[in-house]
Amino acid sequence: MTTSTAPTAPAPAPAPARRSRILSAFRLQFIVRQMVWVPLVVFVVSWLIALGIAAWLRSILDQGVNAGSPIYTGASQAAIWTVAFMAAYAASHTFPFGLALSYSRRVYMTGTALAFLAVSAGFGLLFGIGAALEQATDGFGIHAYNFALPYLMQNGTVGAGVFATLVCLVVMLVGFVSAMLYKRVSVMQLWLIILGLVVVLAAILLLVIQNDALPTLWQWIVEQTPLTLSAWLVAAAAALTALGYGLIRRATP
Amino acid sequence: MATAIDVRGVSRRYGSTTALDDVSVAFEQDVIHGLLGRNGAGKTTLMSIITAQDWPSAGQVEVFGQTPHENEKVLPRICFVREEQRYMDDALAKHAFQAARDAFPHWDQEFAEQLIREFRVPEKTRIKKMSRGQRSAVGVIIGLASRAEVTFFDEPYMGLDAVARQLFYDRLLQDYAEHPRTIVLSSHLIDEIAHLIENVVVIDHGRIMLDESVDELRGKAVTLVGHADSVAEMTAGKELLHRETMGRMARATVLGPLTEAERRRVTELDLDLVPVSLQQLVVHLTSREDQRQTQNEEAAR
């Protein structure tokens, strides 16, 4: 029979350094290569589709009054939604396995956040390269712009790349937090939270309108550049990471 | 012997449901423990709390003298393979093993590859598309090859066929002999794992009903086989756990060790003494304990 008065086992080998555990948790997100290949394929294919559509449109527009006017597409955000779903899988599927591998929630969250940052940085880099290519080639000779959108280019291709990185990061964190929230609460509670957020946003908007602050708000929005918005996105990413850890602390597989 | 896991006064409540009720138990180091109990008894909850995948509503848990929750000094030394383990989306078995190799400092890749061949784990099938038995094999391989100092198996072998289960038992014993470590096997197939375990912990309705070594437990009862009349003579006046008859022959399990005089009489009557079924013993002892606790509760009211 076992007894709790027996001496506790001495600690044999020391545990691996926390830094290497964080690295392992980081690598965990990329062991199944989908996190890299699928968004990359979506990025390239959506770009090619957008270019194809733009080329077709160019042939139509060049016959009319809009000849020579640039064509702006929104396909650059396609890959972001892909990685948002993958970030959600990091909460729903990879997290339970991470616990089985005995990662602490702190290490798992840190490794996962770093993985999201790496993917977002990759997206931002490709976005910046795409913008630079479009600028250098006048939209591939057909004035078709997927990345070098006027608003985003106010701070140059670097500014556009940084902004794209942070948008991607925030969207991934929203995907992760949403999935983690879904794990923690019931469907009813989840919808009450969503409705609560809608109420809060509506209340804020109504307060702005009530105080005749809408023009001021609009002015503020219009004055923002990709870099100033990026600063706000950094704050949002930090808040979402903290929220993610707050949710994961009491999450079970 | 040193204690690897110390659970003191642990309770776990989920709303109005009490999954664990003031559980105190210690698991000795480098012993194979059987954590037995019916479905819903609290086995998985207890293991989840010990491995920091869940936490107690009250009480304390220590693994190697430290609280495991969020403790990176202790967690890499623990492996918990669940009955229905969720893996990364679209993962193949090799992805799961690669992740395990990254996580567990004592991971043995050569041993893992040997087990992959022996359990016939498919290489190109995604884990979510595998049969239950194949998924169980993946979990079992992770548990064995991790060589974690504390390893929990929560019925991961339930999906395995008989041949694969025997293979698991054989490899477990073989590897345990070469690399002693603390292993906790949970099961409700008591007789099937009886030959593996050295210590028995039985949990029921979230409470520890039994915590004894297998040898001590088996010493509490005897099974007699022989002529029905002779068996009846030897079992008269004793608490009968189980009896079956086949024509003029009978087999009976009774509580209590035999005295010297009784052993001589067994020989005179040409009866056989055979190993007691652990399952029968555990079922009877826990039923008796359950009744006693119910009576105590009624008396207290």
Side-chain angles (χ1 to χ4, degrees):
Chain A
M1 178 168 180
T2 57
T3 159
S4 61
T5 58
T8 308
R18 189 184 300 180
R19 199 179 310 145
S20 67
R21 291 277 285 175
I22 292 174
L23 213 56
S24 299
F26 170 86
R27 277 197 298 265
L28 180 64
Q29 302 299 335
F30 300 107
I31 284 178
V32 181
R33 301 272 188 257
Q34 262 81 328
M35 182 80 119
V36 176
W37 287 116
V38 171
L40 201 54
V41 166
V42 169
F43 182 93
V44 170
V45 170
S46 64
W47 189 5
L48 291 173
I49 291 172
L51 273 180
I53 292 170
W56 195 344
L57 279 175
R58 176 60 63 211
S59 70
I60 298 167
L61 290 171
D62 279 355
Q63 293 160 16
V65 298
N66 290 317
S69 57
I71 299 170
Y72 301 112
T73 71
S76 60
Q77 41 80 41
I80 292 180
W81 305 116
T82 314
V83 294
F85 275 104
M86 295 192 154
Y89 279 129
S92 61
H93 287 67
T94 313
F95 169 65
F97 188 48
L99 285 187
L101 299 176
S102 296
Y103 289 116
S104 65
R105 289 163 177 78
R106 198 174 57 252
V107 161
Y108 181 80
M109 188 70 216
T110 308
T112 302
L114 288 173
F116 291 172
L117 187 59
V119 168
S120 301
F123 174 78
L125 181 66
L126 290 174
F127 191 102
I129 290 171
L133 271 174
E134 285 175 350
Q135 275 204 314
T137 60
D138 282 332
F140 293 99
I142 57 171
H143 299 294
Y145 301 94
N146 201 31
F147 305 105
L149 307 173
Y151 180 79
L152 296 182
M153 296 304 290
Q154 290 178 66
N155 303 113
T157 52
V158 171
V162 167
F163 180 72
T165 298
L166 287 163
V167 167
C168 185
L169 180 62
V170 165
V171 169
M172 288 185 85
L173 287 168
V174 167
F176 181 85
V177 164
S178 303
M180 194 53 72
L181 188 63
Y182 185 62
K183 270 178 83 65
R184 290 289 310 274
V185 303
S186 66
V187 173
M188 176 63 83
Q189 286 170 329
L190 181 66
W191 276 105
L192 285 175
I193 290 168
I194 291 169
L195 290 170
L197 280 172
V198 169
V199 165
V200 165
L201 286 171
I204 291 172
L205 187 61
L206 287 168
L207 274 170
V208 166
I209 294 170
Q210 189 177 39
N211 290 289
D212 286 328
L214 207 52
T216 312
L217 178 63
W218 184 248
Q219 186 62 30
W220 181 84
I221 291 171
V222 162
E223 281 170 2
Q224 298 308 303
T225 65
L227 279 181
T228 60
L229 278 179
S230 295
W232 288 104
L233 288 171
V234 167
L240 284 165
T241 307
L243 179 60
Y245 180 61
L247 288 169
I248 210 176
R249 275 188 78 239
R250 287 302 201 179
T252 58
Chain B
M1 283 285 278
T3 300
I5 303 163
D6 194 10
V7 177
R8 294 194 296 274
V10 162
S11 295
R12 184 63 169 113
R13 288 177 280 277
Y14 301 99
S16 58
T17 304
T18 302
L20 293 177
D21 186 6
D22 194 29
V23 166
S24 292
V25 63
F27 294 90
E28 273 180 40
Q29 191 186 0
D30 296 342
V31 169
I32 301 181
H33 302 267
L35 180 59
L36 312 176
R38 300 182 62 177
N39 294 329
K43 304 186 296 293
T44 302
T45 305
L46 180 59
M47 289 189 287
S48 297
I49 289 173
I50 292 170
T51 57
Q53 294 191 21
D54 199 350
W55 44 85
S57 307
Q60 275 187 302
V61 172
E62 285 183 355
V63 178
F64 297 123
Q66 299 188 53
T67 306
H69 186 66
E70 294 293 285
N71 188 341
E72 283 285 328
K73 290 184 186 154
V74 167
L75 286 173
R77 300 160 72 184
I78 303 173
C79 176
F80 177 20
V81 182
R82 286 180 175 270
E83 186 187 344
E84 287 288 336
Q85 181 60 55
R86 193 172 267 192
Y87 297 92
M88 301 161 291
D89 194 52
D90 268 7
L92 301 176
K94 66 175 183 182
H95 296 136
F97 299 139
Q98 190 181 336
R101 186 172 61 189
D102 258 351
F104 295 113
H106 303 298
W107 177 265
D108 187 333
Q109 183 60 27
E110 210 176 297
F111 185 37
E113 283 165 10
Q114 175 198 333
L115 292 170
I116 290 165
R117 285 191 302 273
E118 290 177 342
F119 281 100
R120 299 185 186 176
V121 174
E123 283 181 39
K124 296 195 166 74
T125 309
R126 284 172 289 167
I127 295 177
K128 66 183 181 188
K129 296 291 185 189
M130 286 183 183
S131 69
R132 188 180 178 192
Q134 290 169 334
R135 278 203 305 279
S136 295
V138 171
V140 152
I141 292 169
I142 290 175
L144 287 173
S146 72
R147 296 247 172 88
E149 292 157 66
V150 174
T151 306
F152 290 87
F153 290 99
D154 184 14
E155 305 191 69
Y157 36 80
M158 285 300 287
L160 299 176
D161 57 49
V163 171
R165 280 210 304 277
Q166 190 56 51
L167 182 62
F168 166 66
Y169 301 146
D170 292 343
R171 291 293 166 268
L172 174 67
L173 280 179
Q174 200 174 25
D175 202 59
Y176 170 72
E178 291 170 20
H179 303 274
R181 51 202 191 270
T182 309
I183 294 174
V184 181
L185 287 175
S186 90
S187 180
H188 50 261
L189 297 181
I190 301 172
D191 271 343
E192 197 161 292
I193 65 165
H195 68 292
L196 295 173
I197 57 181
E198 299 165 89
N199 189 70
V200 172
V201 176
V202 176
I203 186 167
D204 195 35
H205 294 305
R207 293 184 192 145
I208 300 293
M209 306 296 271
L210 201 70
D211 178 11
E212 294 193 42
S213 74
V214 170
D215 289 339
E216 279 172 10
L217 209 51
R218 285 197 200 275
K220 290 187 175 203
V222 291
T223 298
L224 300 155
V225 182
H227 199 275
D229 291 341
S230 304
V231 170
E233 180 192 321
M234 290 309 305
T235 59
K238 288 184 183 293
E239 192 171 347
L240 187 70
L241 300 189
H242 179 76
R243 182 186 171 88
E244 53 187 278
T245 53
M246 290 166 291
R248 290 180 193 169
M249 304 299 286
R251 178 191 182 104
T253 302
V254 291
L255 268 187
L258 296 178
T259 62
E260 271 306 310
E262 285 169 332
R263 286 186 180 273
R264 282 196 295 272
R265 187 63 186 147
V266 162
T267 309
E268 285 165 14
L269 292 173
D270 199 26
L271 292 174
D272 290 320
L273 283 172
V274 299
V276 177
S277 160
L278 198 62
Q279 181 155 319
Q280 284 170 11
L281 197 53
V282 166
V283 166
H284 182 85
L285 288 173
T286 50
S287 300
R288 199 171 61 159
E289 181 62 23
D290 209 16
Q291 276 171 7
R292 193 184 62 78
Q293 282 189 5
T294 307
Q295 281 165 4
N296 285 346
E297 280 164 15
E298 280 170 3
R301 273 191 236 117

